[in-house]
Amino acid sequence: MATFGNLSSRLTDALKSLRGKGKLTEADVDGTLREIRRAMLDADVSLTVVKSFQSAVRERALSDDVNKALNPAQQVVQIVNDELVTILGGQQRRIEFAKKPPTVIMLAGLQGSGKTTLAGKLAKWLAKEKHTPLLVACDLQRPNAVTQLEVIAGNAGVAIFAPEPGNGKGNPVKVAKDSLKYATDKLYDVVIIDTAGRLGVDAELMKEASDIRKATSPDEVFFVIDAMIGQDAVATAEAFQQGVDFTGVVLTKLDGDARGGAALSVVSATERPIMFASTGESLDDFEPFYPDRMASRILDLGDILTLIEQAQQTFDADEQAKVAQKIATETFTLEDFLEQMQQLKNMGSLKKMMGMLPGSGQMKAQLDNFDESEITRTEAIIRSMTPAERRNSRLLNGSRRLRIAQGSGVTVTDVNSLVNRFDQAAKMMKTVAKGKVPQIPGMGPIPGGIGGSRPKATKKKTSRSGNPAKRAAENAAISQGGQGGSGAGFGLGAATGAVDGGAGGVGDLSAEELADMQKLLGGR
Amino acid sequence: MADKKGWGLGSKLRGMFARSFVINEDTWDDLEATLLAADFGPDVTDELIDAVKASVAKIPPTDDDDFVRLLREVLEERLSRFDTTLKLQDRPAVVLVVGVNGVGKTTTIGKLAKFITTAGRSVVLGAADTFRAAAVDQLATWAERAGVQIVRPQQEGQDPSSVAFQTVEFAIAQSIDVAIVDTAGRLQTKSGLMDELSKIRRVIEKQSPIAEVLLVLDATTGQNGLVQAEAFLEHAGVTGLVLTKLDGSAKGGFVLAVQERTGIPVKLVGSGESIADLSGFSPVAFAAALVE
């Protein structure tokens, strides 16, 4: 993961010069594209694909159709990401099952790409989806591949058809053909044919694969490819396309740290969709392919890109200015607070958002402990107030508070603590807005024993009301600095970590890098 | 094996000069493209181009053959900075074979066993891949083909370290020259599994020093090969590389970066599924294969 710092800092450097300009110039874009080209080559994307990708991005970045909500640096990152997702996900679809069973799925690929393991995973997944899969052992080449498939079938709890012992004996075409009859007789509705690994340049074995295809006329032919593969991906994919004309691609070994640029090459070269991803050694480590995740993985930017996008969709710069103004003039009310919170909710599940940030793997447990419904409850309390009360919290006397508590289904204590905390927050934000204590450190002076995690979490958001994208970066800082083991840790403890410059964090980002990132994301 | 013409660097390079021999910007662009396509990676590609440019400036090549020869020399020079001999002097010489999933460890061991027995030494294989389904049987098949003995785990899912220990014990007791220990494929990102490798190492070293730790790399791998080598060097103390699947269209150019960055030399290359398809690494032959 150490690579994260490399590319993001390089991109940050490249994009720094773009800050502060309203529109992108050709020179700006070309400079950025050079970095991106290198990053893509490092990620094993094939050169031809890199080139066509570059020109597509260049064209879009220089057209007038650029998004006004983002600064130029963000624009380029976003365009790059959009293009990646478009290519990776353009042909997305599900498995096509035959109208009349059995549906035949054939697997093909290089040696060691993970076909046999994948056959087991696919079978188990199909069984879970209420199908009755049959594994067919057509890898009669590799020593004991048949035995391996038998063991896997046993582990997955699915049936297997393996009439030949393998190890060079038997005719795979005949086995494949016989399996169809067997499946029809025994009422299996999906047949998964595992074939031997073969090289793209091996004409003889490629012919055998093509014969299996002809003999069984499969509904789907999956090309199984290792995420670690390099520049050879295109040549190999094209050879298999000619040989067996596959209908979909399965990417394996995604649990490694290869960037998987080959995925992009294969999709571009063959125009076949990536259907599934295989992500581990257990038979359950199998999932549909997510183009957006893959895009971020290739360029290794965490999902900061996604945050940019979400920020840009949800937040309106004018709104932000208004809020800042209000804070500065002490007219920040519970109403504004509510509005802020709604915007935040629009940004999608908090947990999901934080989970997307790089290096937040370790945070997972903490995230799971954080109760998002607290935000909803705070919202309910505010919504139970009259507009007048929202505008002026001093109105809230005992009887009003009781009414609000009943209206929102909480106790008076909850209402009290929200109001207290809001008052404190408003006061603190005023300080912040005047530039006395910057951002999160402003949390410092608040007494530690502030109580439940709920208002703390929401209040923190408000305190960092500045630029939304900056907030995203701050979230990153928090996840980097993640301390504390509970929902409450999400509040103060984590913030302290961030103040330390992420010192307690995973070490992916140094304090400087973080600052750069914030500048990049927030800079206008 | 299939006809491989048209995949090589040389034919691409010669194609560059199809009409007339002039070195210009396009030449360097094409050279860059061909080097990148051979998985050298952007950094090494830049260095190689600079080196070729320097040579061209010194002695301008007169025709395309000359140009290709220049490139080959640059490659040879960089590839041959390391000692590629396999060191099996200890008795028993213990060889530990490691690598990520599906790179061809078991196949390589089968070939290596044959390779060593052909040289008149006795070999025992240790089936310490107790994780993957039927891996032990696969190794047993290779042992049979190579005509060597094998130490199997005594029970299902036995600790790989104990199988490794028993293999070395067996080699000592029977005065067998070379003990080759197979391990389960593991991705370098799985720290638990990488620690297991360190343990296997420690356990073997209780009886006998380890002569070689061979990391098997798949030639189709891209730039991730470097990360793999670094991780395995750290956890398993790799002493040599084996590059497999060179019979395909992949060139395995990334090993140059691996050699230089980690200092671990390529010692063996595998180029086919038959038992004889393993040879010592020769920088000259490798460079020639890259450019032809």
Side-chain angles (χ1 to χ4, degrees):
Chain A
M1 285 300 280
T3 39
F4 177 78
N6 285 337
L7 177 72
S8 60
S9 64
R10 243 177 16 210
L11 264 183
T12 310
D13 279 347
L15 296 175
K16 236 180 227 164
S17 57
L18 301 190
R19 286 180 49 228
K21 292 181 192 170
K23 198 168 173 245
L24 295 168
T25 69
E26 271 185 50
D28 289 341
V29 174
D30 288 344
T32 315
L33 285 179
R34 261 198 298 281
E35 290 302 324
I36 288 174
R37 168 194 154 103
R38 221 183 166 79
M40 290 179 89
L41 287 172
D42 264 331
D44 294 316
V45 181
S46 92
L47 185 65
T48 35
V49 176
V50 173
K51 278 184 178 162
S52 60
F53 180 80
Q54 267 185 303
S55 60
V57 170
R58 190 168 188 279
E59 198 171 308
R60 260 189 71 184
L62 293 177
S63 74
D64 287 333
D65 181 30
V66 285
N67 196 323
K68 299 272 183 326
L70 298 173
N71 69 27
Q74 293 172 336
Q75 282 169 25
V76 178
V77 174
Q78 200 205 10
I79 293 172
V80 166
N81 191 55
D82 279 2
E83 286 289 321
L84 276 177
V85 175
T86 314
I87 299 177
L88 286 170
Q91 320 274 330
Q92 282 296 94
R93 63 175 177 85
R94 300 175 65 93
I95 291 189
E96 275 173 23
F97 291 98
K99 291 205 180 65
K100 182 173 167 288
T103 301
V104 181
I105 301 175
M106 172 178 166
L107 305 178
L110 294 174
Q111 288 94 340
S113 54
K115 287 176 297 302
T116 307
T117 310
L118 183 92
K121 291 180 178 181
L122 185 61
K124 192 165 184 197
W125 182 78
L126 284 167
K128 228 184 279 166
E129 306 262 301
K130 308 271 180 259
H131 290 283
T132 46
L134 173 70
L135 287 170
V136 180
C138 281
D139 181 354
L140 307 177
Q141 195 80 22
R142 181 163 58 96
N144 297 86
V146 176
T147 327
Q148 188 188 350
L149 194 67
E150 275 165 355
V151 175
I152 285 178
N155 291 345
V158 298
I160 179 168
F161 179 70
E164 297 284 353
N167 296 1
K169 295 184 199 79
N171 179 357
V173 183
K174 186 170 178 299
V175 172
K177 213 169 181 174
D178 293 349
S179 75
L180 298 192
K181 194 173 168 320
Y182 182 84
T184 321
D185 290 351
K186 307 263 168 168
L187 300 178
Y188 291 107
D189 74 345
V190 184
V191 175
I192 302 170
I193 303 175
D194 178 33
T195 66
R198 62 202 79 224
L199 292 165
V201 291
D202 191 336
E204 197 182 309
L205 278 177
M206 204 50 101
K207 166 116 195 337
E208 178 200 284
S210 143
D211 288 346
I212 296 177
R213 195 191 202 293
K214 272 181 212 140
T216 56
S217 51
D219 302 278
E220 294 277 10
V221 181
F222 289 161
F223 175 49
V224 182
I225 191 164
D226 184 331
M228 299 184 293
I229 193 169
Q231 298 282 330
D232 194 45
V234 173
T236 304
E238 282 170 349
F240 273 90
Q241 193 175 23
Q242 277 170 19
V244 294
D245 189 23
F246 56 87
T247 58
V249 179
V250 181
L251 213 54
T252 60
K253 303 185 200 169
L254 268 175
D255 47 334
D257 55 4
R259 303 260 184 73
L264 194 68
S265 310
V266 170
V267 175
S268 308
T270 65
E271 298 189 340
R272 293 286 184 272
I274 301 180
M275 313 270 291
F276 295 100
S278 163
T279 55
E281 305 224 10
S282 136
L283 285 178
D284 295 313
D285 296 330
F286 177 77
E287 56 185 32
F289 176 75
Y290 298 103
D292 46 345
R293 285 191 203 170
M294 196 66 215
S296 325
R297 180 183 180 128
I298 291 174
L299 278 186
D300 201 13
L301 281 170
D303 279 29
I304 286 175
L305 295 155
T306 320
L307 286 171
I308 292 180
E309 259 170 61
Q310 294 193 344
Q312 164 246 322
Q313 281 163 9
T314 326
F315 282 81
D316 169 5
D318 296 344
E319 197 65 30
Q320 293 304 315
K322 235 161 59 193
V323 173
Q325 171 75 23
K326 276 185 176 164
I327 294 172
T329 55
E330 213 180 351
T331 54
F332 185 72
T333 65
L334 278 161
E335 233 170 8
D336 304 317
F337 189 43
L338 181 64
E339 230 166 89
Q340 286 276 302
M341 225 152 29
Q342 280 161 347
Q343 285 187 329
L344 199 75
K345 273 179 77 184
N346 289 344
M347 278 183 79
S349 152
L350 262 179
K351 256 185 225 171
K352 193 176 131 215
M353 223 170 77
M354 300 207 46
M356 271 187 244
L357 290 159
S360 60
Q362 291 93 327
M363 285 270 296
K364 216 166 180 180
Q366 279 158 264
L367 286 175
D368 286 342
N369 282 334
F370 175 67
D371 186 1
E372 211 168 271
S373 64
E374 297 286 6
I375 291 185
T376 318
R377 280 209 266 167
T378 308
E379 202 183 316
I381 297 178
I382 300 179
R383 281 193 187 282
S384 299
M385 298 176 183
T386 65
E389 285 165 349
R390 290 182 206 173
R391 257 174 256 128
N392 184 0
S393 58
R394 279 182 213 110
L395 278 180
L396 294 166
N397 60 24
S399 106
R400 282 175 190 263
R401 289 187 189 203
L402 181 63
R403 191 203 77 238
I404 293 164
Q406 284 167 345
S408 54
V410 297
T411 63
V412 179
T413 329
D414 289 329
V415 179
N416 287 345
S417 69
L418 169 72
V419 175
N420 286 344
R421 236 139 270 141
F422 166 76
D423 286 345
Q424 254 173 324
K427 210 182 288 169
M428 189 193 69
M429 281 187 304
K430 212 183 136 211
T431 334
V432 175
K434 284 177 179 164
K436 281 185 185 150
V437 195
Q439 300 154 16
I440 313 177
M443 294 295 286
I446 301 177
I450 216 157
S453 67
R454 169 211 334 149
K456 211 185 289 171
T458 50
K459 178 163 48 64
K460 184 160 58 64
K461 292 291 172 280
T462 336
S463 78
R464 299 186 287 115
S465 66
N467 183 308
K470 187 181 273 173
R471 165 154 53 218
E474 282 167 7
N475 275 335
I478 289 168
S479 60
Q480 292 299 322
Q483 298 177 346
S486 68
F490 171 66
L492 268 178
T496 325
V499 176
D500 296 344
V506 219
D508 280 347
L509 287 170
S510 72
E512 270 169 61
E513 278 172 335
L514 204 63
D516 274 348
M517 185 80 69
Q518 287 198 14
K519 262 187 243 154
L520 160 71
L521 291 168
R524 210 176 232 287
Chain B
M1 207 49 4
D3 181 18
K4 289 205 288 180
K5 270 226 169 88
W7 296 102
L9 269 180
S11 58
K12 277 184 197 159
L13 285 178
R14 290 204 177 84
M16 275 157 45
F17 302 117
R19 264 155 276 155
S20 62
F21 184 77
V22 192
I23 296 178
N24 55 25
E25 267 311 301
D26 288 348
T27 315
W28 302 118
D29 280 355
D30 289 350
L31 180 60
E32 186 193 21
T34 40
L35 289 173
L36 284 174
D39 282 319
F40 280 100
D43 295 331
V44 174
T45 297
D46 284 354
E47 288 165 27
L48 287 174
I49 290 178
D50 287 345
V52 176
K53 272 183 179 167
S55 305
V56 167
K58 247 183 272 166
I59 318 157
T62 48
D63 56 22
D64 48 358
D65 281 341
D66 222 19
F67 187 82
V68 172
R69 190 179 317 126
L70 246 166
L71 173 64
R72 198 177 63 211
E73 280 166 12
V74 168
L75 283 169
E76 266 175 36
E77 195 263 315
R78 295 205 36 177
L79 282 166
S80 55
R81 289 178 194 168
F82 298 88
D83 180 14
T84 63
T85 40
L86 211 52
K87 295 189 178 56
L88 301 174
Q89 282 85 357
D90 305 347
R91 285 296 170 265
V94 181
V95 180
L96 186 62
V97 180
V98 299
V100 301
N101 315 58
V103 287
K105 285 178 297 301
T106 308
T107 309
T108 300
I109 291 171
K111 294 179 192 171
L112 183 59
K114 179 77 183 172
F115 191 74
I116 296 172
T117 47
T118 315
R121 302 272 174 261
S122 52
V123 176
V124 61
L125 304 184
D129 180 354
T130 53
F131 179 81
R132 202 195 65 194
V136 174
D137 297 332
Q138 190 185 343
L139 190 70
T141 307
W142 278 110
E144 202 180 297
R145 288 183 189 173
V148 300
Q149 285 170 293
I150 179 170
V151 174
R152 287 163 166 273
Q154 284 146 339
Q155 64 218 36
E156 186 105 341
Q158 188 180 337
D159 187 315
S161 314
S162 83
V163 182
F165 187 88
Q166 284 162 357
T167 309
V168 178
E169 199 175 47
F170 183 87
I172 295 172
Q174 310 279 319
S175 341
I176 288 169
D177 298 329
V178 183
I180 310 177
V181 180
D182 186 18
T183 62
R186 62 202 75 219
L187 290 175
Q188 70 277 14
T189 46
K190 307 275 166 83
S191 60
L193 291 175
M194 294 306 277
D195 290 344
E196 184 187 274
L197 266 190
S198 312
K199 180 181 171 193
I200 295 177
R201 232 193 112 88
R202 283 199 307 277
V203 169
I204 293 177
E205 279 172 342
K206 289 204 169 128
Q207 296 184 81
S208 156
I210 296 184
E212 289 275 7
V213 179
L214 297 178
L215 170 65
V216 183
L217 293 171
D218 181 336
T220 51
T221 308
Q223 300 309 306
N224 193 242
L226 191 55
V227 187
Q228 289 174 21
E230 279 169 349
F232 278 96
L233 177 63
E234 187 189 332
H235 289 93
V238 176
T239 59
L241 306 173
V242 182
L243 193 59
T244 59
K245 307 190 196 172
L246 268 176
D247 47 334
S249 46
K251 294 288 174 194
F254 70 93
V255 291
L256 181 54
V258 173
Q259 277 202 148
E260 292 181 351
R261 202 79 71 81
T262 61
I264 314 169
V266 182
K267 298 197 166 174
L268 296 166
V269 292
S271 53
E273 290 192 321
S274 112
I275 198 156
D277 294 332
L278 183 82
S279 54
F281 176 73
S282 144
V284 178
F286 189 73
L290 275 169
V291 298
E292 285 319 314

